[in-house]
Amino acid sequence: MPNSFNFSPAEVRNRRLSDDDYEMGLGWRVMYSMGMPLLYICAFLLGIVAVICNGIVTKYWTDLEPPMCYLYSSTPSQSLFYKFGGSISSCQWVTYGGVTALIFLTVSALIYFIAVRGTGKLTLPLFVLEVLSMLGTILMLAVTCTLTEGLRQTCASMGLNQLNMRGENCHALLNLRVANYNLSVSSSTLIQGAMFTFWPCTVLMCIITIFHLCSCYRRCYR
């Protein structure tokens, strides 16, 4: 009587590979379903803090006379009067662009939790999720780069002004620029808060987008 439990080496190897693939797929599904909510929550909270910080400092700098933005300040000229700061539209773009990116993030999160999570098939909500996630990430990256480059140009501009106190850092000089306006908030604190939260939020949104793209790729070739 033949032994039904005798398998050839090729069959054993194929079964082992299939078991490994199943375990890898199971691990991916657990990581994708359990880790994604944490990524969404952290990205949303960081984005909210960044938008609030930049929105507050933009509101106070808008009320100055003349209205100005702390980004993209030009190099001091040799003239008697030097207008500090750039166009207020730069600060408003950072604030409202960040809000729009968070809206994309929120809508994509709702689509993920309602229509995509727990399913392993290619569906229309999955493609809508991919598009919204990429748009939100690109927008948030553009906002963050605008903030970083604009602040860099402002700091370089103030460093070339001989009237500034030597030995002071960029954020201290920003506070010095608006010291006569008696603002009720510290501009440097809010600007640093926006900078230190916009970048982590952007990184988390990139990770979320990459996870969604990988999930779509796995579903296509399942």
Side-chain angles (χ1 to χ4, degrees), residues 48-125:
I48 286 292
V49 173
V51 167
I52 290 176
C53 288
N54 192 79
I56 292 175
V57 71
T58 299
K59 171 63 171 60
Y60 279 99
W61 283 56
T62 304
D63 295 337
L64 299 179
E65 188 59 40
M68 66 185 73
C69 176
Y70 62 91
L71 301 175
Y72 296 102
S73 176
S74 60
T75 303
S77 63
Q78 301 298 326
S79 61
L80 181 61
F81 298 101
Y82 164 58
K83 177 185 176 182
F84 175 77
S87 173
I88 194 66
S89 60
S90 299
C91 286
Q92 292 175 342
W93 149 250
V94 173
T95 300
Y96 294 111
V99 171
T100 306
L102 288 180
I103 292 175
F104 281 127
L105 178 68
T106 303
V107 175
S108 63
L110 293 176
I111 294 175
Y112 169 74
F113 289 115
I114 295 175
V116 175
R117 188 184 184 188
T119 63
K121 300 180 180 180
L122 287 173
T123 57
L124 179 60

